[in-house]
Amino acid sequence: MIEYACFPVSSEIVLPFAGAFAHTYDISYFLLIPLSVLAGILGTSFCYFVGRLGGSKLLDGLTVRFPKTKKGIDASRTKFERYGAFAVCFGRLIPICRTYIAFIAGSVKQPYSQFFSYSLLGITVWNCVLIGLGYFLKSSWGSVQRYYQEYKLVILLAIMLALALLLFRKLHRKKTF
């Protein structure tokens, strides 16, 4: 709930850990998912209503007071303008955008029922994946470590290549404009 309410707690760390914890203590994956989705809906609804009541002035003030938020808020606005209501669902899967999309949806007065539906879908997908990673890899952690040790150079090269391609695309896109 805290992560979806924009506090600096990373879901990429908390949710897999929650999955591994649940696996260790024999807590059902199918119990953890609805609880985590409910917490996500509560947290993101808080941000939606803050955005709805405060509007764009609040977001502009936030970027002045906390300049590091400008990039995330601008990215979320861009996604919302480009994809409309679906950006709420899609934005749940994009780091940084996921944090601010509820404020944007609230500030543009997206109907809450629509916001709720799209958030529910996006949060469910995101939580299922991350909790699932922790839950299902917990029993195989020794294998994960062994494969990582054996293939870490290949993994690191693939990551570096992917980052280089992303950087190239970004730089190339700037030159074409």
Side-chain angles (χ1 to χ4, degrees):
M1 183 173 95
I2 290 173
E3 192 271 340
Y4 281 102
C6 299
F7 289 92
V9 178
S10 175
S11 64
E12 291 91 338
I13 295 170
V14 172
L15 293 176
F17 177 76
F21 181 86
H23 183 271
T24 301
Y25 291 98
D26 204 28
I27 299 169
S28 171
Y29 173 80
F30 297 105
L31 173 64
L32 191 56
I33 292 299
L35 290 175
S36 71
V37 171
L38 175 63
I41 289 293
L42 291 173
T44 200
S45 292
F46 170 77
C47 294
Y48 169 86
F49 287 112
V50 167
R52 187 158 182 117
L53 296 173
S56 293
K57 287 182 182 181
L58 172 79
L59 294 175
D60 292 340
L62 187 65
T63 61
V64 169
R65 185 171 172 122
F66 303 102
K68 289 185 178 185
T69 63
K70 183 169 179 33
K71 181 180 177 184
I73 289 172
D74 289 347
S76 297
R77 277 186 177 141
T78 301
K79 296 286 186 233
F80 198 89
E81 289 168 4
R82 185 171 183 185
Y83 298 107
F86 186 68
V88 172
C89 178
F90 178 66
R92 297 285 169 207
L93 309 175
I94 302 171
I96 299 175
C97 181
R98 175 178 62 253
T99 305
Y100 299 106
I101 198 69
F103 289 117
I104 304 302
S107 72
V108 299
K109 310 277 192 261
Q110 179 182 26
Y112 183 73
S113 60
Q114 191 178 57
F115 171 79
F116 178 87
S117 299
Y118 282 111
S119 291
L120 182 66
L121 179 61
I123 289 170
T124 301
V125 169
W126 185 251
N127 290 10
C128 283
V129 169
L130 291 180
I131 290 172
L133 284 172
Y135 195 89
F136 296 110
L137 288 179
K138 173 64 174 126
S139 62
S140 306
W141 194 246
S143 298
V144 171
Q145 286 180 316
R146 189 175 62 252
Y147 283 119
Y148 173 75
Q149 287 299 325
E150 191 172 328
Y151 296 106
K152 69 181 170 187
L153 288 177
V154 173
I155 293 168
L156 292 173
L157 286 173
I159 291 170
M160 289 173 38
L161 180 61
L163 290 173
L165 287 171
L166 288 171
L167 180 63
F168 175 78
R169 284 184 55 199
K170 186 171 184 159
L171 291 174
H172 186 329
R173 207 177 307 149
K174 282 185 179 179
K175 287 180 183 178
T176 59
F177 290 112

